């Protein structure tokens, strides 16, 4: 029989066969907040002091072991006891301490397990030290204990990338000592009793397995290759390496000092913002209690670049896929394109042949649109033309089942117009994927005027099953991402017309954290689509608005970007180079407008462009297109290469105090009339276009 002991509000003990069974019960993920730490310390002291207790087993309540430190505590004064002290008390116990890892053991949770003398795990458990994803390194011995189990190269790889391991890999590496299929708790108690009387195997006292210096170097180089100037991964490498030379206590002291310094950094604050932003984005108003419809078969109309990417994402997620093309030849090409993407995944080792065969068995590409009668959801990925898409949706109305959802992948067209042409606009939703759709994580889920709540909920559920990050947005031209990106593009062009060189703009942003500056991105994407769009819009453009003609001049000269070897830059063997022809063209455009070029510092360039994005974001919020500022940040990070460790344009605007009130100013101008001060400021801004509040205000 058992007596329950409350060690703290979130940690309780029970005695089974002389073993203290400690349960961490802190929903939703048993994070090791202050009460959990206090409870574990009390449990360790209780076990040490009670002669009748022979061993300790630690488990998590519910489906998690421990999801890590409580991230909400970061940024607040640290509460005692600190986790390293708690773990020292557990590891130093003379009685066996067994971790019964019943679910995720991440961050501080993994560190708790590492400090135990034996680790048993269920096959569904996951282990990892993902702290770098929050801009920090482990702070409770992870960098010093893990290398003692797996060696420095593997510890470097795991900690500097934050990779999370399944139970089987953790067992193969010796992180988990054994996997338990049946009753974990009973097995852990048995294992703990078996260890009684034997010297405890303390991870912290184990020697670090020897490793060749070049193996360590190679692991570090690989882990840091994609870290783009972030501090935490490099610090993780440095501190893990110390395990090879320092005694545990000294290594842990350096780890803790580094953890505390990084925890209080701007980078960590930004990444925490991103973590909570992703969780907030999942909460969509109006969907409380609404269940998504069941979707097993997805139709994809159009199997070009976008459609084939969507098809592969759907196949990867286990859906049946029906691709539809206009002719049998086009269908054959579509199938080839999809198989080509799968073959590439096999070649790179991301997929095996059996996986490819399984996916192909779930794929049907046909010229018979009638096949879509079997679909639960149809995504169109055809040419972005209103007449084409509207006609298609009207036709689909007559083919698909009444409960089938119709999703449009339009980038710029009005999905409400497309929906209105159908018999059931309530079943239409926008699913705006980004190319390549099987790789890019962002999907803008467009809530149209008439979209039914369960249709929206289904769009979100499908996007999540595809492994995507869905962000809900309202209807406007370009949705969230392309609206903000257009403002960024416009401002980048203003900077160049005013005197900055494209390479100076790109260099400033790349030094700040973007993988590529805007002009390199324009060249990569190609300049001709935007050119065609500008030509179409020429007749309706506001003649008072500032217009930069340089991109038109580039296109007129046949400079369409990388694909033609020349754009803003010229390209030799894929390497971008400054091109005197572009420079001359820019100089001529400035001279034509009488602009005397001025110089810009890198800081000015970055601040100006960030503010242009944040201002457009403020407008999207004002218009109700975006629901939260943090959603805009996620769109720009996951769809447009904004560096995650900078938190997004809205986060930056908040932190740096840049004014993002342009939208408010416009509202004031509208209310106060054309003679008002807000109107004057806006006119001045429109004619100068150098953004008096875009960075310098
Ligand atoms: C660390 O441990 C540092 C140590 O070395 C320091 C030692 C001194 N804290 O993701 P979900 C909340 S750093 C606080 O939707 P899932 C989350 O906000 C930490 N809250 O569920 C959400 O709340 P709400 C290292 C947390 O099942 C709810 O739980 N650990 C934490 O899809 C459900 O979350 C990590 O980086 C937390 N640690 O996935 C792991 N974790 O419902 C971070 C979650 O109010 N966490 N919440 O929106 C994860 O990766 C996932 O949450 C997890 C569960 C896999 C655990």
């Amino acid at each position: 029989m058992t007596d329950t002991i409350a060690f703290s509000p979130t940690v309780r003990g029970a005695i089974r066969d002389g073993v203290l069974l400690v349960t961490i019960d802190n929903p939703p993920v048993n994070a090791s907040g202050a009460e959990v730490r206090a409870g574990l310390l009390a449990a360790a002291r209780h076990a040490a002091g009670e002669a009748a207790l022979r061993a300790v087993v630690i488990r998590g309540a519910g489906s998690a072991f421990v999801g890590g430190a409580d991230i909400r505590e970061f940024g607040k004064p640290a509460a005692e006891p600190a986790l390293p002290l708690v773990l020292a008390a557990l590891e130093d116990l003379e009685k066996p301490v067994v971790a019964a890892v019943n679910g995720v053991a991440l961050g501080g949770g993994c560190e708790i397990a590492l400090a135990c003398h034996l680790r048993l795990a269920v096959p569904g458990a996951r282990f990892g030290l993902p702290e770098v994803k929050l801009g920090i390194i482990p702070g409770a011995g992870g960098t010093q204990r893990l290398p003692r189990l797996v060696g420095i190269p593997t510890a470097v790889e795991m900690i500097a990338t934050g990779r999370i391991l399944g139970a089987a890999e953790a067992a193969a590496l010796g992180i988990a000592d054994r996997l338990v299929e049946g009753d974990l708790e009973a097995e852990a108690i048995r294992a703990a009793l078996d260890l009684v009387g034997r010297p405890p195997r303390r991870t912290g006292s184990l020697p670090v397995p020897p490793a060749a210096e070049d193996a360590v170097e190679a692991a570090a180089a690989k882990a840091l290759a994609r870290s783009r100037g972030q501090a935490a991964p490099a610090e993780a490498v440095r501190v893990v390496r110390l395990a090879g030379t320092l005694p545990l206590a000294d290594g842990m002291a350096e780890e803790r000092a580094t953890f505390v310094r990084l925890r209080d950094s701007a980078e960590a604050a930004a990444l925490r913002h991103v973590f909570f932003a992703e969780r907030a984005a999942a909460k969509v108003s109006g969907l409380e209690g609404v269940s998504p419809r069941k979707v097993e078969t997805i139709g994809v109309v159009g199997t070009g670049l976008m459609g084939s990417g969507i098809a592969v994402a759907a196949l990867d997620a286990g859906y049946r896929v029906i691709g539809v093309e206009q002719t049998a030849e086009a269908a054959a090409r579509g199938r080839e394109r999809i198989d080509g993407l799968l073959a590439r995944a096999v070649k790179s080792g991301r997929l095996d042949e059996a996986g490819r065969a399984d996916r192909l068995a779930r794929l049907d590409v046909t010229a018979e649109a009638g096949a879509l009668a079997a679909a639960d959801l149809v995504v169109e990925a055809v040419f972005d033309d209103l007449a084409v898409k509207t006609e298609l949706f009207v036709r689909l109305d007559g083919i698909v089942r009444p409960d089938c959802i119709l999703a449009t992948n339009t980038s710029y067209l009005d999905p409400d117009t497309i929906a209105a042409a159908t018999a059931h606009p309530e079943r239409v939703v926008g699913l705006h994927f980004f190319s390549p759709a099987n790789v890019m994580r962002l999907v803008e889920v467009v809530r149209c005027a008439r979209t039914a709540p369960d249709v929206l909920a289904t769009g979100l559920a499908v996007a999540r099953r595809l492994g995507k990050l869905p962000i809900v947005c309202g209807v406007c031209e370009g949705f969230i991402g392309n609206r903000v990106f257009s403002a960024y593009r416009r401002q980048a062009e203003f900077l160049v017309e005013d005197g900055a060189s494209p390479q100076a703009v790109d260099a400033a942003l790349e030094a700040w954290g973007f993988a590529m500056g805007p002009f390199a991105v324009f060249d990569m994407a190609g300049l001709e689509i935007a050119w065609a769009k500008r030509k179409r819009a020429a007749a309706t453009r506001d003649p008072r608005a500032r217009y930069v003609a340089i991109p038109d001049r580039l296109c007129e000269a046949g400079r369409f970007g990388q694909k033609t070897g020349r754009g803003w830059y010229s390209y030799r063997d894929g390497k971008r180079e400054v091109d005197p022809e572009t420079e001359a063209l820019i100089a001529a455009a400035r001279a034509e407008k009488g602009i005397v070029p001025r110089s810009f510092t890198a800081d000015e360039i970055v601040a100006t462009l960030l503010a242009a994005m944040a201002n457009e974001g403020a407008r999207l919020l004002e218009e109700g297109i975006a629901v939260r500022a943090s959603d805009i940040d996620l769109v720009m990070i996951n769809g447009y290469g904004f560096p995650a460790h900078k938190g997004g344009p809205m986060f930056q605007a908040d932190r740096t105090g840049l004014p993002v009130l342009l939208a408010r100013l416009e509202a004031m101008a509208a209310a106060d009339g054309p003679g008002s001060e807000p109107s004057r400021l806006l006119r001045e801004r429109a004619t100068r276009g150098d953004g008096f509040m875009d960075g310098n205000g």
Side-chain angles (χ1 to χ4, degrees), residues 28-29 67-71 106-108 111 130-131 134 138-140 256 259 275-276 279 283:
V29 300
D70 187 338
I71 302 168
L106 300 179
E111 291 174 301
E131 281 87 345
L134 294 166
R256 188 74 188 173
F259 163 79
F275 178 84
F276 287 115
R279 270 91 201 148
K283 300 186 174 75

PDB file of all heavy atoms in Angstrom, residues 28-29 67-71 106-108 111 130-131 134 138-140 256 259 275-276 279 283, ligand 1:
ATOM      1  N   PRO A  28       1.004  21.663 -18.746  1.00  0.00           N
ATOM      2  CA  PRO A  28       0.768  20.607 -19.720  1.00  0.00           C
ATOM      3  C   PRO A  28       1.976  19.705 -20.011  1.00  0.00           C
ATOM      4  O   PRO A  28       1.800  18.599 -20.495  1.00  0.00           O
ATOM      5  CB  PRO A  28       0.406  21.394 -20.993  1.00  0.00           C
ATOM      6  CG  PRO A  28       1.100  22.713 -20.836  1.00  0.00           C
ATOM      7  CD  PRO A  28       1.134  22.987 -19.369  1.00  0.00           C
ATOM      8  N   VAL A  29       3.207  20.155 -19.731  1.00  0.00           N
ATOM      9  CA  VAL A  29       4.350  19.329 -20.161  1.00  0.00           C
ATOM     10  C   VAL A  29       5.299  19.003 -19.006  1.00  0.00           C
ATOM     11  O   VAL A  29       6.424  18.592 -19.212  1.00  0.00           O
ATOM     12  CB  VAL A  29       5.134  19.992 -21.335  1.00  0.00           C
ATOM     13  CG1 VAL A  29       4.236  20.199 -22.539  1.00  0.00           C
ATOM     14  CG2 VAL A  29       5.793  21.301 -20.914  1.00  0.00           C
ATOM     15  N   GLY A  67       9.135  18.453 -20.130  1.00  0.00           N
ATOM     16  CA  GLY A  67       9.357  19.159 -21.402  1.00  0.00           C
ATOM     17  C   GLY A  67      10.451  20.206 -21.340  1.00  0.00           C
ATOM     18  O   GLY A  67      10.693  20.901 -22.314  1.00  0.00           O
ATOM     19  N   GLY A  68      11.096  20.360 -20.181  1.00  0.00           N
ATOM     20  CA  GLY A  68      12.190  21.322 -20.084  1.00  0.00           C
ATOM     21  C   GLY A  68      11.935  22.327 -18.990  1.00  0.00           C
ATOM     22  O   GLY A  68      10.926  22.244 -18.272  1.00  0.00           O
ATOM     23  N   ALA A  69      12.863  23.277 -18.859  1.00  0.00           N
ATOM     24  CA  ALA A  69      12.667  24.370 -17.915  1.00  0.00           C
ATOM     25  C   ALA A  69      11.387  25.104 -18.310  1.00  0.00           C
ATOM     26  O   ALA A  69      10.960  25.038 -19.459  1.00  0.00           O
ATOM     27  CB  ALA A  69      13.862  25.320 -17.993  1.00  0.00           C
ATOM     28  N   ASP A  70      10.787  25.799 -17.353  1.00  0.00           N
ATOM     29  CA  ASP A  70       9.588  26.575 -17.670  1.00  0.00           C
ATOM     30  C   ASP A  70      10.027  27.857 -18.383  1.00  0.00           C
ATOM     31  O   ASP A  70      10.596  28.764 -17.762  1.00  0.00           O
ATOM     32  CB  ASP A  70       8.820  26.908 -16.385  1.00  0.00           C
ATOM     33  CG  ASP A  70       7.493  27.567 -16.702  1.00  0.00           C
ATOM     34  OD1 ASP A  70       7.350  28.132 -17.817  1.00  0.00           O
ATOM     35  OD2 ASP A  70       6.593  27.513 -15.846  1.00  0.00           O
ATOM     36  N   ILE A  71       9.762  27.897 -19.685  1.00  0.00           N
ATOM     37  CA  ILE A  71      10.276  29.000 -20.498  1.00  0.00           C
ATOM     38  C   ILE A  71       9.696  30.342 -20.054  1.00  0.00           C
ATOM     39  O   ILE A  71      10.317  31.382 -20.213  1.00  0.00           O
ATOM     40  CB  ILE A  71       9.991  28.723 -21.997  1.00  0.00           C
ATOM     41  CG1 ILE A  71      10.638  27.393 -22.408  1.00  0.00           C
ATOM     42  CG2 ILE A  71      10.512  29.835 -22.890  1.00  0.00           C
ATOM     43  CD1 ILE A  71      10.194  26.876 -23.761  1.00  0.00           C
ATOM     44  N   LEU A 106      13.031  16.686 -22.570  1.00  0.00           N
ATOM     45  CA  LEU A 106      13.721  17.718 -23.346  1.00  0.00           C
ATOM     46  C   LEU A 106      14.351  18.746 -22.426  1.00  0.00           C
ATOM     47  O   LEU A 106      13.822  19.033 -21.349  1.00  0.00           O
ATOM     48  CB  LEU A 106      12.727  18.425 -24.277  1.00  0.00           C
ATOM     49  CG  LEU A 106      12.014  17.532 -25.297  1.00  0.00           C
ATOM     50  CD1 LEU A 106      11.034  18.359 -26.128  1.00  0.00           C
ATOM     51  CD2 LEU A 106      13.015  16.830 -26.195  1.00  0.00           C
ATOM     52  N   GLY A 107      15.468  19.329 -22.879  1.00  0.00           N
ATOM     53  CA  GLY A 107      16.105  20.394 -22.116  1.00  0.00           C
ATOM     54  C   GLY A 107      16.352  19.950 -20.687  1.00  0.00           C
ATOM     55  O   GLY A 107      16.943  18.888 -20.425  1.00  0.00           O
ATOM     56  N   GLY A 108      15.840  20.761 -19.730  1.00  0.00           N
ATOM     57  CA  GLY A 108      15.989  20.426 -18.316  1.00  0.00           C
ATOM     58  C   GLY A 108      15.452  19.035 -18.002  1.00  0.00           C
ATOM     59  O   GLY A 108      15.950  18.366 -17.083  1.00  0.00           O
ATOM     60  N   GLU A 111      18.066  16.699 -18.840  1.00  0.00           N
ATOM     61  CA  GLU A 111      19.140  16.830 -17.840  1.00  0.00           C
ATOM     62  C   GLU A 111      18.788  16.096 -16.547  1.00  0.00           C
ATOM     63  O   GLU A 111      19.657  15.513 -15.906  1.00  0.00           O
ATOM     64  CB  GLU A 111      19.419  18.314 -17.579  1.00  0.00           C
ATOM     65  CG  GLU A 111      20.056  18.977 -18.803  1.00  0.00           C
ATOM     66  CD  GLU A 111      20.206  20.480 -18.641  1.00  0.00           C
ATOM     67  OE1 GLU A 111      19.181  21.162 -18.441  1.00  0.00           O
ATOM     68  OE2 GLU A 111      21.350  20.959 -18.719  1.00  0.00           O
ATOM     69  N   PRO A 130      17.216  20.842 -26.809  1.00  0.00           N
ATOM     70  CA  PRO A 130      16.920  21.793 -27.893  1.00  0.00           C
ATOM     71  C   PRO A 130      17.128  23.252 -27.486  1.00  0.00           C
ATOM     72  O   PRO A 130      16.614  24.149 -28.147  1.00  0.00           O
ATOM     73  CB  PRO A 130      15.432  21.520 -28.170  1.00  0.00           C
ATOM     74  CG  PRO A 130      14.876  21.092 -26.856  1.00  0.00           C
ATOM     75  CD  PRO A 130      15.996  20.412 -26.106  1.00  0.00           C
ATOM     76  N   GLU A 131      17.885  23.501 -26.420  1.00  0.00           N
ATOM     77  CA  GLU A 131      18.024  24.868 -25.907  1.00  0.00           C
ATOM     78  C   GLU A 131      18.466  25.879 -26.951  1.00  0.00           C
ATOM     79  O   GLU A 131      18.041  27.035 -26.938  1.00  0.00           O
ATOM     80  CB  GLU A 131      19.001  24.883 -24.722  1.00  0.00           C
ATOM     81  CG  GLU A 131      18.410  24.412 -23.400  1.00  0.00           C
ATOM     82  CD  GLU A 131      18.484  22.903 -23.201  1.00  0.00           C
ATOM     83  OE1 GLU A 131      18.721  22.171 -24.191  1.00  0.00           O
ATOM     84  OE2 GLU A 131      18.308  22.450 -22.059  1.00  0.00           O
ATOM     85  N   LEU A 134      16.138  28.100 -28.494  1.00  0.00           N
ATOM     86  CA  LEU A 134      15.645  29.219 -27.688  1.00  0.00           C
ATOM     87  C   LEU A 134      16.768  30.219 -27.420  1.00  0.00           C
ATOM     88  O   LEU A 134      16.664  31.073 -26.548  1.00  0.00           O
ATOM     89  CB  LEU A 134      15.083  28.699 -26.366  1.00  0.00           C
ATOM     90  CG  LEU A 134      13.826  27.831 -26.482  1.00  0.00           C
ATOM     91  CD1 LEU A 134      13.562  27.094 -25.177  1.00  0.00           C
ATOM     92  CD2 LEU A 134      12.626  28.684 -26.862  1.00  0.00           C
ATOM     93  N   PRO A 138      22.108  24.361 -22.649  1.00  0.00           N
ATOM     94  CA  PRO A 138      21.624  23.702 -21.436  1.00  0.00           C
ATOM     95  C   PRO A 138      22.263  24.354 -20.205  1.00  0.00           C
ATOM     96  O   PRO A 138      23.422  24.768 -20.251  1.00  0.00           O
ATOM     97  CB  PRO A 138      22.085  22.261 -21.604  1.00  0.00           C
ATOM     98  CG  PRO A 138      22.192  22.070 -23.087  1.00  0.00           C
ATOM     99  CD  PRO A 138      22.663  23.391 -23.618  1.00  0.00           C
ATOM    100  N   GLY A 139      21.497  24.414 -19.109  1.00  0.00           N
ATOM    101  CA  GLY A 139      22.009  25.106 -17.923  1.00  0.00           C
ATOM    102  C   GLY A 139      22.093  24.226 -16.695  1.00  0.00           C
ATOM    103  O   GLY A 139      22.341  24.710 -15.599  1.00  0.00           O
ATOM    104  N   ALA A 140      21.858  22.929 -16.852  1.00  0.00           N
ATOM    105  CA  ALA A 140      21.880  22.058 -15.671  1.00  0.00           C
ATOM    106  C   ALA A 140      22.676  20.782 -15.944  1.00  0.00           C
ATOM    107  O   ALA A 140      22.249  19.678 -15.640  1.00  0.00           O
ATOM    108  CB  ALA A 140      20.460  21.739 -15.221  1.00  0.00           C
ATOM    109  N   ARG A 256      26.923  27.099 -16.625  1.00  0.00           N
ATOM    110  CA  ARG A 256      25.893  27.914 -15.971  1.00  0.00           C
ATOM    111  C   ARG A 256      26.089  29.398 -16.291  1.00  0.00           C
ATOM    112  O   ARG A 256      25.141  30.106 -16.602  1.00  0.00           O
ATOM    113  CB  ARG A 256      25.969  27.668 -14.460  1.00  0.00           C
ATOM    114  CG  ARG A 256      24.850  28.301 -13.669  1.00  0.00           C
ATOM    115  CD  ARG A 256      23.550  27.544 -13.871  1.00  0.00           C
ATOM    116  NE  ARG A 256      22.441  28.268 -13.264  1.00  0.00           N
ATOM    117  CZ  ARG A 256      21.170  27.921 -13.395  1.00  0.00           C
ATOM    118  NH1 ARG A 256      20.833  26.872 -14.107  1.00  0.00           N
ATOM    119  NH2 ARG A 256      20.221  28.629 -12.831  1.00  0.00           N
ATOM    120  N   PHE A 259      24.995  29.922 -19.805  1.00  0.00           N
ATOM    121  CA  PHE A 259      23.529  29.811 -19.875  1.00  0.00           C
ATOM    122  C   PHE A 259      22.878  31.110 -19.404  1.00  0.00           C
ATOM    123  O   PHE A 259      21.997  31.661 -20.076  1.00  0.00           O
ATOM    124  CB  PHE A 259      23.074  28.623 -19.002  1.00  0.00           C
ATOM    125  CG  PHE A 259      21.618  28.626 -18.642  1.00  0.00           C
ATOM    126  CD1 PHE A 259      20.657  28.209 -19.552  1.00  0.00           C
ATOM    127  CD2 PHE A 259      21.195  29.048 -17.379  1.00  0.00           C
ATOM    128  CE1 PHE A 259      19.306  28.211 -19.225  1.00  0.00           C
ATOM    129  CE2 PHE A 259      19.848  29.059 -17.041  1.00  0.00           C
ATOM    130  CZ  PHE A 259      18.900  28.638 -17.961  1.00  0.00           C
ATOM    131  N   PHE A 275       8.788  31.067 -30.110  1.00  0.00           N
ATOM    132  CA  PHE A 275       8.194  29.854 -29.517  1.00  0.00           C
ATOM    133  C   PHE A 275       6.741  30.119 -29.103  1.00  0.00           C
ATOM    134  O   PHE A 275       5.831  29.384 -29.484  1.00  0.00           O
ATOM    135  CB  PHE A 275       9.031  29.418 -28.301  1.00  0.00           C
ATOM    136  CG  PHE A 275       8.481  28.203 -27.595  1.00  0.00           C
ATOM    137  CD1 PHE A 275       8.777  26.925 -28.050  1.00  0.00           C
ATOM    138  CD2 PHE A 275       7.650  28.333 -26.480  1.00  0.00           C
ATOM    139  CE1 PHE A 275       8.265  25.800 -27.407  1.00  0.00           C
ATOM    140  CE2 PHE A 275       7.134  27.212 -25.832  1.00  0.00           C
ATOM    141  CZ  PHE A 275       7.439  25.944 -26.300  1.00  0.00           C
ATOM    142  N   PHE A 276       6.530  31.184 -28.358  1.00  0.00           N
ATOM    143  CA  PHE A 276       5.171  31.448 -27.879  1.00  0.00           C
ATOM    144  C   PHE A 276       4.271  31.942 -29.020  1.00  0.00           C
ATOM    145  O   PHE A 276       3.067  31.672 -29.024  1.00  0.00           O
ATOM    146  CB  PHE A 276       5.188  32.418 -26.695  1.00  0.00           C
ATOM    147  CG  PHE A 276       5.706  31.762 -25.435  1.00  0.00           C
ATOM    148  CD1 PHE A 276       6.885  32.168 -24.838  1.00  0.00           C
ATOM    149  CD2 PHE A 276       5.029  30.692 -24.871  1.00  0.00           C
ATOM    150  CE1 PHE A 276       7.371  31.537 -23.696  1.00  0.00           C
ATOM    151  CE2 PHE A 276       5.503  30.047 -23.723  1.00  0.00           C
ATOM    152  CZ  PHE A 276       6.676  30.473 -23.141  1.00  0.00           C
ATOM    153  N   ARG A 279       2.731  28.974 -30.666  1.00  0.00           N
ATOM    154  CA  ARG A 279       1.627  28.389 -29.889  1.00  0.00           C
ATOM    155  C   ARG A 279       0.399  29.299 -29.959  1.00  0.00           C
ATOM    156  O   ARG A 279      -0.731  28.836 -30.056  1.00  0.00           O
ATOM    157  CB  ARG A 279       2.034  28.165 -28.429  1.00  0.00           C
ATOM    158  CG  ARG A 279       2.637  26.781 -28.202  1.00  0.00           C
ATOM    159  CD  ARG A 279       4.110  26.737 -28.357  1.00  0.00           C
ATOM    160  NE  ARG A 279       4.654  25.426 -28.628  1.00  0.00           N
ATOM    161  CZ  ARG A 279       5.736  25.233 -29.361  1.00  0.00           C
ATOM    162  NH1 ARG A 279       6.371  26.260 -29.911  1.00  0.00           N
ATOM    163  NH2 ARG A 279       6.195  24.039 -29.568  1.00  0.00           N
ATOM    164  N   LYS A 283      -4.197  29.220 -31.833  1.00  0.00           N
ATOM    165  CA  LYS A 283      -5.487  29.523 -31.196  1.00  0.00           C
ATOM    166  C   LYS A 283      -6.249  30.516 -32.074  1.00  0.00           C
ATOM    167  O   LYS A 283      -5.867  31.670 -32.191  1.00  0.00           O
ATOM    168  CB  LYS A 283      -5.244  30.087 -29.803  1.00  0.00           C
ATOM    169  CG  LYS A 283      -4.497  29.079 -28.932  1.00  0.00           C
ATOM    170  CD  LYS A 283      -4.341  29.519 -27.497  1.00  0.00           C
ATOM    171  CE  LYS A 283      -3.715  28.413 -26.662  1.00  0.00           C
ATOM    172  NZ  LYS A 283      -2.276  28.218 -26.866  1.00  0.00           N
TER     173      LYS A 283
HETATM  174  C1  LIG B   1      15.645  24.362 -20.811  1.00  0.00           C
HETATM  175  O1  LIG B   1      15.146  23.345 -20.447  1.00  0.00           O
HETATM  176  C2  LIG B   1      16.883  24.927 -20.250  1.00  0.00           C
HETATM  177  C3  LIG B   1      17.505  24.089 -19.186  1.00  0.00           C
HETATM  178  O2  LIG B   1      18.703  23.523 -19.654  1.00  0.00           O
HETATM  179  C4  LIG B   1      17.788  25.030 -18.080  1.00  0.00           C
HETATM  180  C5  LIG B   1      18.124  24.417 -16.817  1.00  0.00           C
HETATM  181  C6  LIG B   1      18.478  25.410 -15.755  1.00  0.00           C
HETATM  182  N1  LIG B   1       7.895  25.918 -20.652  1.00  0.00           N
HETATM  183  O3  LIG B   1       4.061  22.736 -27.940  1.00  0.00           O
HETATM  184  P1  LIG B   1       2.729  22.456 -27.382  1.00  0.00           P
HETATM  185  C7  LIG B   1       3.530  24.977 -23.166  1.00  0.00           C
HETATM  186  S1  LIG B   1      14.953  25.292 -22.020  1.00  0.00           S
HETATM  187  C8  LIG B   1       6.703  26.508 -20.542  1.00  0.00           C
HETATM  188  O4  LIG B   1       1.552  23.038 -28.057  1.00  0.00           O
HETATM  189  P2  LIG B   1       3.026  19.647 -27.969  1.00  0.00           P
HETATM  190  C9  LIG B   1       3.207  25.645 -24.479  1.00  0.00           C
HETATM  191  O5  LIG B   1       3.449  27.026 -24.426  1.00  0.00           O
HETATM  192  C10 LIG B   1      13.533  24.395 -22.497  1.00  0.00           C
HETATM  193  N2  LIG B   1       5.638  26.175 -21.304  1.00  0.00           N
HETATM  194  O6  LIG B   1       2.476  20.885 -27.156  1.00  0.00           O
HETATM  195  C11 LIG B   1       1.742  25.317 -24.608  1.00  0.00           C
HETATM  196  O7  LIG B   1       1.034  26.208 -23.764  1.00  0.00           O
HETATM  197  P3  LIG B   1      -0.399  26.775 -24.179  1.00  0.00           P
HETATM  198  C12 LIG B   1      13.892  23.245 -23.343  1.00  0.00           C
HETATM  199  C13 LIG B   1       5.802  25.195 -22.180  1.00  0.00           C
HETATM  200  O8  LIG B   1       2.438  18.476 -27.318  1.00  0.00           O
HETATM  201  C14 LIG B   1       1.643  23.928 -24.016  1.00  0.00           C
HETATM  202  O9  LIG B   1       2.795  23.786 -23.189  1.00  0.00           O
HETATM  203  N3  LIG B   1      12.673  22.612 -23.773  1.00  0.00           N
HETATM  204  C15 LIG B   1       7.020  24.537 -22.344  1.00  0.00           C
HETATM  205  O10 LIG B   1       2.847  19.883 -29.411  1.00  0.00           O
HETATM  206  C16 LIG B   1       1.627  22.821 -25.017  1.00  0.00           C
HETATM  207  O11 LIG B   1       2.762  22.955 -25.881  1.00  0.00           O
HETATM  208  C17 LIG B   1      12.142  22.904 -24.966  1.00  0.00           C
HETATM  209  O12 LIG B   1      12.646  23.704 -25.709  1.00  0.00           O
HETATM  210  C18 LIG B   1       8.098  24.920 -21.515  1.00  0.00           C
HETATM  211  N4  LIG B   1       9.286  24.312 -21.604  1.00  0.00           N
HETATM  212  O13 LIG B   1       4.607  19.654 -27.728  1.00  0.00           O
HETATM  213  C19 LIG B   1      10.893  22.164 -25.300  1.00  0.00           C
HETATM  214  N5  LIG B   1       6.874  23.586 -23.308  1.00  0.00           N
HETATM  215  O14 LIG B   1      -1.272  25.573 -24.287  1.00  0.00           O
HETATM  216  C20 LIG B   1       9.822  23.120 -25.670  1.00  0.00           C
HETATM  217  C21 LIG B   1       5.607  23.663 -23.721  1.00  0.00           C
HETATM  218  O15 LIG B   1      -0.715  27.708 -23.077  1.00  0.00           O
HETATM  219  N6  LIG B   1       8.536  22.481 -25.854  1.00  0.00           N
HETATM  220  N7  LIG B   1       4.945  24.634 -23.043  1.00  0.00           N
HETATM  221  O16 LIG B   1      -0.164  27.458 -25.495  1.00  0.00           O
HETATM  222  C22 LIG B   1       8.264  21.702 -26.907  1.00  0.00           C
HETATM  223  O17 LIG B   1       9.069  21.424 -27.754  1.00  0.00           O
HETATM  224  C23 LIG B   1       6.862  21.179 -27.012  1.00  0.00           C
HETATM  225  O18 LIG B   1       6.041  22.044 -26.292  1.00  0.00           O
HETATM  226  C24 LIG B   1       6.651  19.754 -26.483  1.00  0.00           C
HETATM  227  C25 LIG B   1       5.131  19.442 -26.459  1.00  0.00           C
HETATM  228  C26 LIG B   1       7.358  18.784 -27.409  1.00  0.00           C
HETATM  229  C27 LIG B   1       7.171  19.616 -25.065  1.00  0.00           C
END
